[in-house]
Amino acid sequence: MTLFYFLDIIGIIAFAISGSLMAMRKKMDPFGVFIIAFATAVGGGTLRDVLIGAQPVFWMKNTDVIYFIVASYFIAIIFRKKLKYLNKSLFLFDSIGLGLYTIMGTEIGLNANFHPIIIISIATMSASFGGVIRDILCNEIPVIFRKEIYATACVLGSIVFLILHNFNVNNAVIYVSTTFLIIAIRLVAVKFKLSLPTFYTKE
Amino acid sequence: MTLFYFLDIIGIIAFAISGSLMAMRKKMDPFGVFIIAFATAVGGGTLRDVLIGAQPVFWMKNTDVIYFIVASYFIAIIFRKKLKYLNKSLFLFDSIGLGLYTIMGTEIGLNANFHPIIIISIATMSASFGGVIRDILCNEIPVIFRKEIYATACVLGSIVFLILHNFNVNNAVIYVSTTFLIIAIRLVAVKFKLSLPTFYTKE
Amino acid sequence: MTLFYFLDIIGIIAFAISGSLMAMRKKMDPFGVFIIAFATAVGGGTLRDVLIGAQPVFWMKNTDVIYFIVASYFIAIIFRKKLKYLNKSLFLFDSIGLGLYTIMGTEIGLNANFHPIIIISIATMSASFGGVIRDILCNEIPVIFRKEIYATACVLGSIVFLILHNFNVNNAVIYVSTTFLIIAIRLVAVKFKLSLPTFYTKE
């Protein structure tokens, strides 16, 4: 098993748990929770595969993905009472998924020889789309439109990935450092309530 | 005309009528009603074709589909006053569409040689997506997230289909019995207010 | 540069500006405004390419599209205070985008040899989808479901395009006249508060 595949699976697990937690917070029935977990976990990658034309989409070619989602779903259900700080867990798993999905999108875009600006777009879209679907289905304001820095972290992470890749840095180093960068940006942004400057003057 | 094609068309008609009824209940204008009818009828199949990579999607390759949707739309408009029990009609047509679309998805997944768990996913997604789009566009709570058993019926139907298929049961028998099973599960679930057990303790 | 490509770009710019204006009206942060501008500008064309199977989608093959969207975004931000009549500007840019996207969809459908009724469907879908995404993301009632004539203008424009094309009228004449027709239909419809006749009797 390659490092890339391993990170891939961790990203999917993180998003599946974040989806399950959000759906349980909304008191959905067991099947509804599973649908949200599934949609959050595979949403971004499915959009990515459909837009670049890599069909059947990834989870149809690799059944393991579905088993990992099912396992994450049960883990989230079993540990739901231990997760006293539900919002913090949700935030953490969402950030991990965001970081790893950005790496996946950038790597896949690179392999398909797209222009850097397209690679960054694909990475940002595929990383944030799972969370957006989750929020829309759970009737929350989509995470990319909230005050926190979200998609901006993906853009920065993907740019750093491409720069490091250009300097022929080892792939394992790129994957791990970029993922941590994205998670760190989010943690710092939320901790210090950082948000993008606004261009609206107060009325 | 094969039995499969016939059931296909009936499924599309049933969903087109269910979409028209919902949109008229929301007092949409004639074009809006048509859009909802169209989206409900082709939504699931379009998602299925895009995910497995069978493009152009089915209704672009077979103009008959559009004629049948137009006809269903006019039938729903003409008979809208006879349909005194609008909610019951809506539920019935929705259930018929759900059953038939599950069969289609399972059959197409089998022909493409997917793993059984992927086939069940494709069948469930394509069967429930039309109703989900209809409900989102009409600003209703999506049917899969309501208390009633909905996607669960598709999963069960698709599993029974695969088991019968494994025992080499005649296709016509499989199609008809599985469709009736799915419709029956929904009827019984709604009649007796059955829903999935919940894992939330009352606070 | 061909006339077709030029109109293409103008359509994308018009939708990008309409998306930016709507997002700024909703007081989104700079990145949120960009996402809405991007989704509005490429949404319809992306749906079209995915449904007909022309992937990677158009903006992945032509980086210019992204540069034009970025430029439109900055123009909308810089001139936002001059745009005193924000609603009127929004309506105008939306109508221009609608007209030009209908032309693109019809032309692409013709080149792919689809049946006329499919061409009209593709053109209408791709023209109205950008505005629908914009409105859903901004939490407005989708423009196709408002009282005004919207998708109906695309249908009429696409039909006129096909009729003129059948009489071998020069392409430049078809493009320009059909676009103006669609914009004119919308302007007249909104000016005189025209809407489709309803089939509901008042209760």
Side-chain angles (χ1 to χ4, degrees):
Chain A
M1 196 179 68
T2 64
L3 173 66
F4 184 67
Y5 182 71
F6 176 73
L7 295 176
D8 226 41
I9 292 297
I10 302 291
I12 285 164
I13 290 174
F15 269 146
I17 293 179
S18 100
S20 302
L21 295 180
M22 173 82 81
M24 285 191 289
R25 197 165 74 183
K26 295 282 174 174
K27 304 262 176 210
M28 290 200 177
D29 75 18
F31 201 82
V33 174
F34 183 74
I35 290 176
I36 304 287
F38 190 84
T40 312
V42 307
T46 302
L47 179 70
R48 178 196 65 215
D49 289 354
V50 167
L51 294 184
I52 66 178
Q55 293 132 313
V57 297
F58 73 104
W59 53 268
M60 291 189 183
K61 286 180 279 198
N62 179 5
T63 325
D64 287 358
V65 170
I66 298 195
Y67 299 139
F68 280 112
I69 294 173
V70 171
S72 312
Y73 164 74
F74 281 112
I75 288 169
I77 290 174
I78 292 166
F79 289 101
R80 72 185 184 283
K81 291 196 175 160
K82 309 262 160 143
L83 298 168
K84 281 209 177 175
Y85 309 97
L86 193 66
N87 285 332
K88 279 192 182 163
S89 313
L90 187 57
F91 172 77
L92 188 68
F93 284 110
D94 188 47
S95 299
I96 296 170
L98 193 76
L100 291 167
Y101 243 117
T102 305
I103 306 310
M104 277 190 257
T106 310
E107 181 69 45
I108 289 172
L110 267 171
N111 290 337
N113 283 315
F114 282 115
H115 185 281
I117 207 166
I118 305 295
I119 296 178
I120 298 167
S121 307
I122 294 173
T124 306
M125 273 188 170
S126 60
S128 32
F129 193 66
V132 169
I133 286 192
R134 178 196 62 212
D135 294 349
I136 290 178
L137 290 177
C138 289
N139 209 17
E140 293 267 320
I141 300 165
V143 73
I144 39 165
F145 296 126
R146 284 183 234 151
K147 279 275 158 61
E148 323 149 19
I149 281 169
Y150 193 79
T152 316
C154 306
V155 172
L156 295 175
S158 188
I159 290 173
V160 170
F161 184 123
L162 292 177
I163 292 171
L164 295 177
H165 180 265
N166 220 33
F167 285 112
N168 293 311
V169 176
N170 177 278
N171 263 354
V173 176
I174 299 183
Y175 293 160
V176 175
S177 62
T178 321
T179 305
F180 274 104
L181 175 70
I182 294 170
I183 298 174
I185 292 175
R186 282 217 74 199
L187 288 174
V188 170
V190 168
K191 182 92 181 168
F192 296 101
K193 297 208 163 83
L194 298 181
S195 60
L196 293 177
T198 180
F199 38 62
Y200 310 104
T201 49
K202 57 183 186 293
E203 56 271 47
Chain B
M1 197 179 68
T2 63
L3 174 65
F4 184 65
Y5 183 71
F6 176 75
L7 294 176
D8 226 39
I9 292 296
I10 302 291
I12 285 163
I13 291 174
F15 269 145
I17 293 178
S18 99
S20 303
L21 294 180
M22 173 82 80
M24 286 192 288
R25 198 167 72 182
K26 295 282 174 174
K27 304 265 176 209
M28 290 200 178
D29 76 17
F31 201 83
V33 174
F34 182 74
I35 290 175
I36 305 287
F38 190 84
T40 312
V42 308
T46 301
L47 178 71
R48 179 196 64 216
D49 288 354
V50 166
L51 294 185
I52 65 178
Q55 294 133 312
V57 297
F58 73 104
W59 53 268
M60 292 190 182
K61 286 180 279 199
N62 179 5
T63 326
D64 287 358
V65 170
I66 297 195
Y67 299 139
F68 279 112
I69 294 173
V70 171
S72 313
Y73 165 74
F74 282 112
I75 288 170
I77 290 173
I78 292 166
F79 288 101
R80 72 185 184 283
K81 290 197 175 158
K82 309 263 160 141
L83 298 167
K84 282 209 177 178
Y85 309 97
L86 194 66
N87 285 332
K88 277 192 182 164
S89 312
L90 187 58
F91 171 77
L92 188 68
F93 284 108
D94 188 48
S95 299
I96 296 170
L98 193 76
L100 291 167
Y101 242 116
T102 305
I103 306 310
M104 278 190 258
T106 310
E107 181 69 46
I108 289 170
L110 266 173
N111 291 337
N113 283 315
F114 283 115
H115 184 280
I117 207 166
I118 306 294
I119 297 179
I120 298 166
S121 307
I122 294 173
T124 306
M125 273 187 169
S126 60
S128 32
F129 192 66
V132 170
I133 286 192
R134 178 195 63 212
D135 294 348
I136 290 178
L137 291 177
C138 290
N139 209 18
E140 293 267 321
I141 299 164
V143 73
I144 38 164
F145 296 126
R146 284 183 235 151
K147 280 275 160 60
E148 321 149 19
I149 281 169
Y150 193 79
T152 316
C154 305
V155 172
L156 295 175
S158 187
I159 290 172
V160 170
F161 184 122
L162 292 177
I163 292 171
L164 295 178
H165 179 264
N166 220 31
F167 285 112
N168 293 310
V169 176
N170 176 276
N171 263 354
V173 176
I174 299 182
Y175 293 161
V176 175
S177 62
T178 320
T179 306
F180 274 105
L181 175 69
I182 294 169
I183 298 174
I185 291 174
R186 281 217 75 199
L187 287 174
V188 171
V190 169
K191 182 89 182 171
F192 296 101
K193 298 206 162 83
L194 297 181
S195 59
L196 294 176
T198 180
F199 38 61
Y200 309 103
T201 49
K202 58 181 185 295
E203 55 271 49
Chain C
M1 196 180 70
T2 64
L3 174 66
F4 183 66
Y5 183 69
F6 176 74
L7 295 176
D8 227 40
I9 293 296
I10 302 290
I12 286 164
I13 291 174
F15 268 146
I17 293 179
S18 99
S20 302
L21 294 179
M22 173 81 81
M24 286 192 288
R25 199 167 72 184
K26 295 282 174 175
K27 305 264 176 210
M28 290 199 178
D29 75 18
F31 200 83
V33 173
F34 182 74
I35 290 176
I36 305 288
F38 189 84
T40 312
V42 308
T46 302
L47 178 71
R48 178 197 65 215
D49 288 355
V50 166
L51 294 185
I52 67 177
Q55 293 132 314
V57 298
F58 73 104
W59 53 268
M60 292 189 182
K61 285 179 280 197
N62 179 5
T63 326
D64 288 358
V65 169
I66 298 195
Y67 299 139
F68 280 112
I69 294 173
V70 171
S72 312
Y73 165 73
F74 282 111
I75 289 170
I77 290 174
I78 292 165
F79 289 101
R80 71 185 186 284
K81 290 197 174 158
K82 309 261 159 143
L83 297 168
K84 283 209 175 176
Y85 307 98
L86 194 68
N87 285 330
K88 277 191 182 165
S89 311
L90 187 58
F91 172 76
L92 187 67
F93 284 109
D94 188 48
S95 299
I96 295 170
L98 192 76
L100 291 167
Y101 242 116
T102 305
I103 306 311
M104 279 189 257
T106 310
E107 181 69 45
I108 289 171
L110 266 172
N111 290 337
N113 284 314
F114 283 115
H115 184 279
I117 207 166
I118 306 294
I119 297 177
I120 297 167
S121 307
I122 294 173
T124 305
M125 272 188 170
S126 60
S128 31
F129 192 66
V132 170
I133 286 191
R134 179 195 62 213
D135 294 349
I136 290 178
L137 290 178
C138 290
N139 209 16
E140 294 267 320
I141 300 165
V143 72
I144 40 165
F145 295 127
R146 286 183 232 152
K147 279 276 157 61
E148 325 149 19
I149 280 168
Y150 194 79
T152 317
C154 306
V155 172
L156 294 175
S158 187
I159 291 173
V160 170
F161 184 123
L162 292 177
I163 292 171
L164 295 178
H165 179 263
N166 220 32
F167 284 112
N168 293 310
V169 176
N170 176 277
N171 263 353
V173 176
I174 298 183
Y175 293 161
V176 175
S177 62
T178 319
T179 305
F180 275 105
L181 175 69
I182 293 169
I183 298 174
I185 291 174
R186 281 216 75 198
L187 288 174
V188 170
V190 169
K191 181 93 182 168
F192 298 101
K193 298 205 162 83
L194 297 180
S195 60
L196 293 177
T198 179
F199 40 60
Y200 309 103
T201 48
K202 55 182 186 294
E203 58 269 48

